[in-house]
Amino acid sequence: NAAIVFDKFHILRHLSNALDQVRRDEYRRLQGKDRSWIKGQRYTLLSAQENLTLEGRQALRKLLAANRRLNTAYLLKESFGQLWSYRTEHGARAFFERWKQSLRWQRLEPYRKFAEMIERCQRRLKTDPGCRSKTDPPGHAIEWVTSPQSGGLSLLAGHLSGTHLVA
């Protein structure tokens, strides 16, 4: 009776990995002074802006101003966090489709792969309404979940308390 859970933090980890891959690709692509803006900025780029010191926020602003592709990738990562603010499956799906469309002309291959991973999960997994956080009220923690009783597709979003879900 095990459930497969893809929680917010694991999904965002995959997106952070995609952003880090864009950073590494940009570092390899650039030469000289353009490269120096990226060197040593991994933590700054992958941290949530509210977790950065004043010095870190200034370094992030300089980095994003210096490299358009990193700026785009960073903004896409930050905007993806809105997914968890939707209360309905329809709203979450519509947001994800718009987010995916914004990748269309960006030439961000790691982000395209991330979006494909999410779509594979949607096709493979279905919501199990019996799953919820141990501490949250029913329906509060919303995830991609499957159980032996269900199969198919569902994308849900909502607030996550950080606790595990149980079936």
Side-chain angles (χ1 to χ4, degrees):
N1 276 351
I4 300 170
V5 177
F6 294 85
D7 67 36
K8 173 183 179 179
F9 303 103
H10 286 95
I11 291 170
L12 291 180
R13 185 192 71 206
H14 285 286
L15 186 53
S16 289
N17 289 345
L19 176 59
D20 194 39
Q21 184 61 51
V22 170
R23 181 192 62 82
R24 289 191 306 265
D25 292 347
E26 283 298 285
Y27 185 79
R28 282 192 293 272
R29 187 179 71 81
L30 298 171
Q31 303 287 322
K33 187 174 178 357
D34 291 335
R35 209 178 208 200
S36 68
W37 289 104
I38 297 172
K39 188 168 179 72
Q41 297 300 320
R42 181 176 192 257
Y43 174 79
T44 302
L45 192 62
L46 297 179
S47 294
Q49 196 166 5
E50 62 268 9
N51 294 336
L52 293 172
T53 63
L54 177 59
E55 187 178 299
R57 286 191 298 271
Q58 290 170 342
L60 179 64
R61 271 194 293 279
K62 287 180 185 177
L63 173 63
L64 298 180
N67 189 289
R68 187 175 182 187
R69 189 171 289 161
L70 279 177
N71 184 49
T72 300
Y74 181 81
L75 292 174
L76 284 165
K77 179 186 90 81
E78 290 297 304
S79 70
F80 191 82
Q82 294 174 28
L83 179 69
W84 280 269
S85 67
Y86 287 89
R87 295 283 184 192
T88 66
E89 181 178 343
H90 177 75
R93 283 180 186 273
F95 170 81
F96 179 70
E97 288 303 316
R98 287 189 306 272
W99 187 87
K100 197 172 64 174
Q101 284 299 316
S102 66
L103 298 176
R104 193 169 187 186
W105 305 108
Q106 300 304 326
R107 297 181 304 157
L108 295 170
E109 185 64 16
Y111 277 58
R112 186 190 62 74
K113 288 179 180 179
F114 169 78
E116 286 177 356
M117 179 199 71
I118 298 297
E119 288 179 321
R120 277 193 313 274
C121 291
Q122 288 177 349
R123 285 191 297 270
R124 196 180 66 190
L125 304 176
K126 177 162 176 72
T127 301
D128 179 355
C131 291
R132 62 180 176 270
S133 166
K134 291 178 185 177
T135 58
D136 288 341
H140 187 69
I142 303 180
E143 306 294 327
W144 283 270
V145 180
T146 191
S147 71
Q149 300 93 340
S150 61
L153 153 69
S154 188
L155 168 65
L156 298 176
H159 300 287
L160 180 66
S161 69
T163 60
H164 296 298
L165 301 183
V166 292

